């Protein structure tokens, strides 16, 4: 089946897109499925992202590195996937608790 990839970030949209272009990531994401400046309630933006992709949120996963990301994913009906890394805002233990 076809898998779509979208990006939803609290980073300012123009900064996010510039970063994606600089890293060569933009080619994996259709422009309509890139949402930046997703704050203060990321869940609403995740809902919009699923709508743009024409996909039921129950069939979506969101990878995030904060406890707030996990809460937003669940609130939007997505599967929440925590990604802990050295520069994460939250540590692995907090992500596991979330």
């Amino acid at each position: 089946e076809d898998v779509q990839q979208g990006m939803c970030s609290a980073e300012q949209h123009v900064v996010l897109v510039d970063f994606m272009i600089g890293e060569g990531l933009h080619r994996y994401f259709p422009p309509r499925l890139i949402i930046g400046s997703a704050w203060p309630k990321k869940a609403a933006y995740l809902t919009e992202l699923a709508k743009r992709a024409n996909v039921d949120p129950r069939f979506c996963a969101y990878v995030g590195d904060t406890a707030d990301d996990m809460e937003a994913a669940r609130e939007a009906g997505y599967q929440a996937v925590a990604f802990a890394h050295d520069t994460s805002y939250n540590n692995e233990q907090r992500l596991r608790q979330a």
Side-chain angles (χ1 to χ4, degrees), residues 4-9 13 30-39 41-58 60 62 72-73 75-78:
Q4 298 183 69
Q5 297 181 136
M7 175 71 70
C8 184
S9 175
H13 187 79
R32 69 182 172 66
L33 298 182
I34 299 173
I35 296 178
S37 305
W39 56 275
K41 294 289 286 177
K42 191 178 278 186
Y45 294 93
L46 291 172
T47 299
E48 173 62 23
L49 189 60
K51 189 180 295 185
R52 289 182 187 185
N54 196 31
V55 176
D56 186 316
R58 294 176 300 162
C60 297
Y62 184 71
E75 187 178 325
Y78 283 49

